[in-house]
Amino acid sequence: MSKDVSPYRPQPAEIEHEYRRADIDARAAKKAERQVALMFASSALFTVLFVVAFATIDATTVIGLPVFGDVYAFNVAIGVTMGLAIFFIGAGAIHWAKKLMPDVEVEEERHDFGSSAEEKAEIVETFKAGSADSGVMQRPLIRRTLLAALALFPVPLVVLLRDLGPGPGDERFRTMWSQGRRLLTDVSYQPIRPEDVPIGNLINAVPEGLHELEEEVKNLNERAKSVIIVVRIDPDEIVSQQGGTSEEPWDYNGILAYSKVCTHVGCPISLYEQRTHHLLCPCHQSTYDLADSGKVIFGPAARRMPQLGITIDQEGYLVARGDFAEPIGPSFWELS
Amino acid sequence: MSVKQSRKARALNWADDRFGGAGILRTAMNKVFPDHWSFMLGEIALYSFVILLISGTYLSFFFVPSMTEIVYNGSYVPLKGVKMTEAYASTLDISFDVRGGLLMRQIHHWAALFFLIAMTVHMLRIFFTGAFRRPREVNWVIGSLLLILGIVEGFAGYGLPDDLLSGTGLRITEGIMLAIPVVGSWVSSLVFGGEFPGTEFIPRLYIVHVLLIPGIMLALIAVHVLLVAFHKHTQFPGPGRTEKNVVGYPLMPVYMAKAGGFFFIVFGVTVFMAAIATINPVWMFGPYVPNAVGAGSQPDWYMGFLDGSTRIMPAIEFTLINYTLSLNLLIPTLVLPGIMFTLLIFYPWIEAWATGDKREHHLLDRPRNAPTRTALGVMALTFYGILWISGGNDIIAVAFGLSINAITWTLRFGLFILPAIAFVITKRICLALQRRDRDKLLHGRETGQILRLPHGEFIEIHAPISEKEKAKILSKVDIEPLALPPATDRDGVAVPQSFRKRLQAKVSHFYFGDNVPKPSAAEIEAAEHHLQEIAENVEAPSH
Ligand code: HEM
Ligand code: FES
């Protein structure tokens, strides 16, 4: 136990009190009274104005405010009137309390929270007696089985959550990309010819058939996995790729396809710097080098960006050579 | 009975005959509340919560928590004909086709920000004044839980409208779930009802947001406030304030008017903000699609520290036999906040153990008089602040034209170095303030007036300090660090020293070792005498 080594305390001084203008000057008190009443009356007035604004102002008009920019006039009008109507009730009440209500501070005693020693002892006794009567200490068999039962009792509550979802299958390891499946531009769903891919730009693409699949299953699950980006890099500048042979390279004349999903926590990647071939994730700035197997060169992502091998089909459109060789998106326990 | 009662009295009588409780009511009405601006922080939090309940209930009349895809056909022209979920479409409807809906959405969001700011600053007040000490430890724990729940609740609300920003937040949530060792894939599959994003998540999140968490928070807030009333409020030292009393205004009428009025002020200001300051304009972000992201998107302020820790964490991922452990996510998003909140929750017991101080405290500490606690607090704040700033490392990089690489490395080192520096500086400042307090008691306050003594020496006149200030300074409690248990017993035989006792003595020294004790009664008396003499001296030359 620590001890206070400076027990010196002055005698508690008197609680100080100063009189206010309104306490001694009847005119000041009258003035304060009028101020309070004015605030309450303003509140009522603003409530009326609120109703008027609500009924008359067009809800689509946009106005420009300094600092706050373009805002809806209707929203400003009803909000300001409602806000002031509420505010003045509070301002009036506080002004009233400060200026006119008694401002003499009073003292209240504190009492100990703990019960008296006898009371505490009595509780302990009663508890002990109850426990003795139940015989819980003498009958370990009952005690232990009871504890086991209580410990297990929450299990059904957890098990009952089982059908919240279907348990993880192998869907994290595959996407709908397959051999010969065309790359379609995102949004307009057009097949892509190599000449459509300029140096420098990044093209967003999805697998052929995604659109139809989404119409059928009505969710975005496949899209969240199979979105890719397509870039063209001068073949001489490509240092390495994740797969392919010299007969069957994963690029097509310098056109490379990579997953668009960051391997960190799965943000879609959007920023591409043509000069350095760097791909930057806007969420936590992980940076990948697309000319060098998509390896991470900066940031919190630990895994390289999976590459999709591509080639062209007989009609000259870009197609996949197969599915990704490694899972896309964030890492998970069963990954490797 | 012929005595005529006023209507008010009759109503009270009616209630008392049925529910009793005149006694309780009397105690309640006479309850005394000390006055200090910092005591309003908790009130702001409470009122913001009430505003959230009111505005949230309104929103739930119109919001459709469904991920069913529809084609938008409301009055916001740029998005006409676009495919989106009903959740997003109904949020657009609230914003454009329900008159006053936009105001309510913005009230709800502003109130959420104020709620979390008020809770945080309120907590800092409690910490730095030592208001968490016995008997209020349990209320500190409840408050910490409320803060955590508030953060989760705000994040859940942010995810509901299913716009591009909120969907990106949910994607990150899924990534974090996946990083949980062993069960991560299971957790994610169950929570999302299969693969991300699925069609189950928003309805589930909705129930969590409007029922589960607010229900728990409401219960905790009720207990929190009842405990404040039961313990009676702490007070700052001052004339007439002791550990045994509480000095302030009675509930009826002054406190009632002030606190009640203050609710309307907070509400009014929130509505005013919602009227003029656009917040979360979801219509500009578009519906969530997994292949788009808004560049430079920032989460609400209270999630910033987690975003920051995720950004500056190095890319460490392990493969254990056949399994993957993503420390680059696990540490910044689960382990680190886990440690931070655990330390927060248990701080009252950590300090009580370290200082051996297990007494009741109702008079608040002035932060300078608990230099180690104050320094620890500033240290924790610095740590939090750096994480928070890290959440904007890209913004800093652009603003100052620096490389993001350099900034991230600076922040990584800063996270460990700056809090330590903050600790040392804060402690020095506190001790300097203690010394100044001591000087004030012994030598009075400096008046700035210079006096030439008869023999030619110049002195500055010191005047005695006011009673109020004296009471404040003398409220300081000087605590002696715990001593080491004796190394040998009475017969000189070595006693094995327990490691715990030695550690405790060390920590206690760390807390109190460099305390500047306040002067003793005799010293003060002598000093007052001396000041008296000077005062006479000053008057003398004028004769
Ligand atoms: C206790 C603290 C609460 C916090 C911190 C909070 C926070 C939020 C936030 C940040 C949003 C996003 C708003 C936006 O669109 O910009 C939101 C949405 C929403 N909240 Fe809350 N909320 C709270 C309590 C409640 C309660 C009690 C209810 C209902 C009874 C509720 C109902 C809703 C609804 C329906 C939405 C979706 C509508 C929309 O986004 O426009 N909230 N909440
Ligand atoms: S999600 Fe891409 S860096 Fe975090």
Side-chain angles (χ1 to χ4, degrees):
Chain A
M1 187 69 173
S2 71
K3 73 170 191 289
D4 182 356
V5 290
S6 61
Y8 174 62
R9 291 273 171 292
Q11 279 302 307
E14 288 295 306
I15 300 169
E16 292 171 353
H17 180 244
E18 277 170 30
Y19 287 99
R20 297 163 300 186
R21 285 280 312 277
D23 292 333
I24 38 183
D25 179 355
R27 289 230 317 280
K30 200 73 204 159
K31 188 170 154 208
E33 184 183 338
R34 276 197 303 272
Q35 286 167 338
V36 173
L38 184 68
M39 290 186 201
F40 288 152
S42 309
S43 165
L45 175 69
F46 277 113
T47 303
V48 173
L49 288 178
F50 167 85
V51 176
V52 173
F54 192 92
T56 57
I57 295 179
D58 169 43
T60 57
T61 313
V62 172
I63 55 167
L65 285 188
V67 184
F68 298 103
D70 284 350
V71 289
Y72 288 89
F74 176 80
N75 192 59
V76 173
I78 62 166
V80 168
T81 48
M82 177 173 160
L84 289 177
I86 297 173
F87 180 86
F88 275 124
I89 297 179
I94 289 178
H95 199 59
W96 181 8
K98 283 212 157 147
K99 290 277 149 116
L100 294 169
M101 289 184 190
D103 77 330
V104 184
E105 289 192 298
V106 294
E107 182 181 358
E108 190 184 5
E109 297 268 301
R110 289 186 191 277
H111 307 286
D112 288 341
F113 299 109
S115 318
S116 67
E118 297 91 73
E119 279 173 313
K120 282 183 188 164
E122 199 183 311
I123 301 274
V124 174
E125 275 316 307
T126 316
F127 186 81
K128 275 194 190 144
S131 142
D133 288 348
S134 74
V136 68
M137 295 323 275
Q138 291 78 23
R139 298 188 209 284
L141 191 60
I142 292 189
R143 193 172 71 236
R144 286 181 199 142
T145 46
L146 173 64
L147 285 179
L150 286 177
L152 288 177
F153 143 81
V155 169
L157 300 181
V158 176
V159 172
L160 280 172
L161 294 176
R162 170 60 189 86
D163 279 351
L164 275 174
D170 66 344
E171 65 277 355
R172 280 186 211 293
F173 293 91
R174 55 181 170 75
T175 71
M176 75 184 282
W177 288 108
S178 56
Q179 189 177 7
R181 196 180 280 275
R182 278 186 181 162
L183 284 59
L184 303 188
T185 56
D186 191 13
V187 188
S188 55
Y189 302 112
Q190 297 303 312
I192 307 169
R193 286 182 186 281
E195 1 3 322
D196 300 337
V197 185
I199 280 210
N201 272 2
L202 172 153
I203 294 183
N204 289 304
V206 295
E208 183 175 30
L210 176 71
H211 189 58
E212 293 73 15
L213 179 82
E214 282 180 352
E215 291 295 308
E216 189 188 314
V217 297
K218 301 228 173 291
N219 65 44
L220 300 171
N221 300 1
E222 189 54 48
R223 178 177 292 262
K225 293 192 298 187
S226 58
V227 286
I228 57 168
I229 50 159
V230 183
V231 293
R232 184 195 282 271
I233 297 177
D234 183 346
D236 296 339
E237 292 180 20
I238 297 177
V239 181
S240 72
Q241 296 191 51
Q242 290 178 16
T245 58
S246 44
E247 294 84 57
E248 297 196 328
W250 272 19
D251 70 317
Y252 181 77
N253 293 342
I255 299 179
L256 297 160
Y258 281 97
S259 164
K260 189 181 165 69
V261 188
C262 188
T263 62
H264 182 221
V265 258
C267 280
I269 291 196
S270 54
L271 304 168
Y272 175 59
E273 206 188 29
Q274 171 208 342
R275 197 174 41 81
T276 54
H277 322 300
H278 289 175
L279 188 66
L280 179 84
C281 177
C283 283
H284 316 102
Q285 286 79 45
S286 289
T287 309
Y288 304 85
D289 186 353
L290 297 192
D292 193 3
S293 299
K295 74 167 192 235
V296 180
I297 53 169
F298 177 73
R303 271 168 43 239
R304 65 184 184 181
M305 186 63 86
Q307 185 182 357
L308 185 73
I310 53 171
T311 180
I312 53 167
D313 61 11
Q314 276 151 3
E315 287 158 68
Y317 292 109
L318 292 177
V319 294
R321 282 190 179 277
D323 200 352
F324 289 103
E326 43 202 80
I328 61 96
S331 302
F332 48 97
W333 182 247
E334 300 87 350
L335 174 79
S336 54
Chain B
M1 275 263 240
S2 60
V3 184
K4 220 166 158 197
Q5 288 180 316
S6 77
R7 221 184 296 159
K8 230 179 272 166
R10 257 183 300 159
L12 280 177
N13 246 338
W14 186 93
D16 193 66
D17 289 344
R18 277 144 193 93
F19 312 116
I24 296 179
L25 208 58
R26 191 184 55 222
T27 331
M29 288 202 294
N30 289 334
K31 221 163 172 42
V32 166
F33 288 87
D35 210 23
H36 190 269
W37 66 267
S38 71
F39 298 167
M40 295 193 306
L41 294 163
E43 280 181 52
I44 301 183
L46 176 64
Y47 301 152
S48 304
F49 182 73
V50 175
I51 298 167
L52 283 163
L53 291 181
I54 296 172
S55 54
T57 305
Y58 174 94
L59 291 175
S60 66
F61 294 154
F62 301 99
F63 180 71
V64 185
S66 146
M67 294 174 90
T68 305
E69 295 251 329
I70 56 162
V71 174
Y72 178 68
N73 194 25
S75 55
Y76 184 65
V77 179
L79 288 176
K80 254 194 207 275
V82 173
K83 258 201 331 189
M84 57 180 65
T85 59
E86 281 188 294
Y88 184 60
S90 65
T91 309
L92 292 179
D93 288 344
I94 293 174
S95 307
F96 295 106
D97 294 286
V98 175
R99 274 181 293 172
L102 178 61
L103 185 69
M104 275 297 187
R105 263 197 62 230
Q106 306 207 123
I107 289 175
H108 197 66
H109 208 130
W110 276 115
L113 300 191
F114 292 156
F115 179 53
L116 279 143
I117 293 174
M119 267 202 291
T120 308
V121 183
H122 171 62
M123 183 192 74
L124 293 176
R125 198 282 286 172
I126 304 288
F127 181 84
F128 284 114
T129 59
F132 54 79
R133 290 171 296 174
R134 186 178 159 200
R136 298 182 176 77
E137 306 96 322
V138 173
N139 236 8
W140 167 267
V141 173
I142 295 179
S144 310
L145 295 178
L146 280 167
L147 182 68
I148 298 168
L149 285 172
I151 293 173
V152 177
E153 174 74 349
F155 186 69
Y158 194 80
L160 284 180
D162 207 23
D163 59 282
L164 194 51
L165 279 190
S166 76
T168 306
L170 299 186
R171 175 95 218 211
I172 293 176
T173 313
E174 191 232 14
I176 293 170
M177 284 178 196
L178 287 179
I180 303 172
V182 188
V183 294
S185 307
W186 271 94
V187 171
S188 164
S189 280
L190 294 186
V191 168
F192 284 88
E195 286 187 271
F196 176 87
T199 52
E200 312 275 344
F201 191 63
I202 293 219
R204 287 177 183 174
L205 191 66
Y206 181 68
I207 280 301
V208 169
H209 182 77
V210 304
L211 182 73
L212 189 61
I213 299 182
I216 300 173
M217 291 182 84
L218 200 60
L220 287 177
I221 289 175
V223 177
H224 195 76
V225 173
L226 279 177
L227 274 178
V228 171
F230 176 69
H231 288 142
K232 302 198 171 92
H233 210 290
T234 50
Q235 57 192 347
F236 277 102
R241 275 96 172 144
T242 71
E243 288 283 6
K244 294 273 164 219
N245 72 2
V246 46
V247 176
Y249 298 115
L251 179 83
M252 194 69 194
V254 179
Y255 187 76
M256 192 82 124
K258 279 192 177 171
F262 195 52
F263 167 72
F264 287 94
I265 298 237
V266 174
F267 200 174
V269 169
T270 310
V271 176
F272 194 83
M273 285 301 286
I276 58 172
T278 303
I279 188 162
N280 202 14
V282 290
W283 55 91
M284 309 222 295
F285 311 140
Y288 178 62
V289 273
N291 48 337
V293 65
S297 55
Q298 294 287 321
D300 272 351
W301 78 266
Y302 46 84
M303 294 303 292
F305 79 106
L306 286 179
D307 194 30
S309 65
T310 314
R311 286 178 187 219
I312 61 174
M313 177 73 197
I316 308 175
E317 193 169 274
F318 282 119
T319 304
L320 306 165
I321 319 164
N322 261 328
Y323 298 102
T324 301
L325 190 61
S326 304
L327 293 185
N328 55 345
L329 274 181
L330 205 56
I331 290 180
T333 60
L334 297 169
V335 176
L336 181 78
I339 294 175
M340 285 165 71
F341 286 123
T342 307
L343 286 177
L344 181 77
I345 289 175
F346 289 104
Y347 185 79
W349 288 278
I350 298 175
E351 188 183 297
W353 176 78
T355 61
D357 181 356
K358 304 205 160 92
R359 283 166 303 193
E360 276 191 14
H361 293 277
H362 303 290
L363 271 184
L364 295 171
D365 272 338
R366 304 168 78 208
R368 71 187 61 175
N369 290 341
T372 305
R373 177 203 301 144
T374 305
L376 284 175
V378 175
M379 180 171 109
L381 265 183
T382 311
F383 186 82
Y384 180 89
I386 295 190
L387 289 181
W388 198 80
I389 289 174
S390 305
N393 62 352
D394 51 338
I395 299 177
I396 302 174
V398 173
F400 295 98
L402 296 166
S403 97
I404 192 128
N405 201 328
I407 290 188
T408 303
W409 273 104
T410 312
L411 288 166
R412 278 176 188 166
F413 280 106
L415 186 64
F416 295 97
I417 296 170
L418 291 180
I421 296 177
F423 178 88
V424 174
I425 293 180
T426 311
K427 193 151 179 183
R428 299 256 146 260
I429 294 176
C430 287
L431 291 173
L433 287 172
Q434 284 192 11
R435 245 169 260 127
R436 206 178 72 179
D437 279 350
R438 192 185 151 86
D439 283 351
K440 272 195 197 164
L441 272 185
L442 291 182
H443 310 302
R445 82 190 144 80
E446 293 163 7
T447 58
Q449 276 170 285
I450 306 290
L451 183 75
R452 188 163 180 246
L453 293 182
H455 53 274
E457 189 194 347
F458 285 97
I459 58 160
E460 187 182 359
I461 300 179
H462 285 233
I465 55 177
S466 72
E467 278 303 309
K468 196 168 174 175
E469 195 160 11
K470 205 165 134 192
K472 232 159 80 177
I473 297 178
L474 281 173
S475 74
K476 178 165 189 283
V477 177
D478 291 318
I479 289 179
E480 206 169 52
L482 296 174
L484 270 178
T488 52
D489 68 10
R490 253 179 307 166
D491 307 325
V493 182
V495 197
Q497 296 221 356
S498 90
F499 170 74
R500 269 190 49 193
K501 278 271 181 295
R502 271 183 303 160
L503 181 69
Q504 197 181 8
K506 279 236 171 66
V507 180
S508 167
H509 235 273
F510 170 69
Y511 261 86
F512 298 123
D514 36 19
N515 174 51
V516 180
K518 74 182 177 204
S520 68
E523 280 174 305
I524 292 181
E525 215 167 280
E528 272 170 4
H529 189 70
H530 179 67
L531 276 174
Q532 197 71 33
E533 268 176 14
I534 293 185
E536 279 158 19
N537 236 334
V538 173
E539 274 157 32
S542 64
H543 285 293

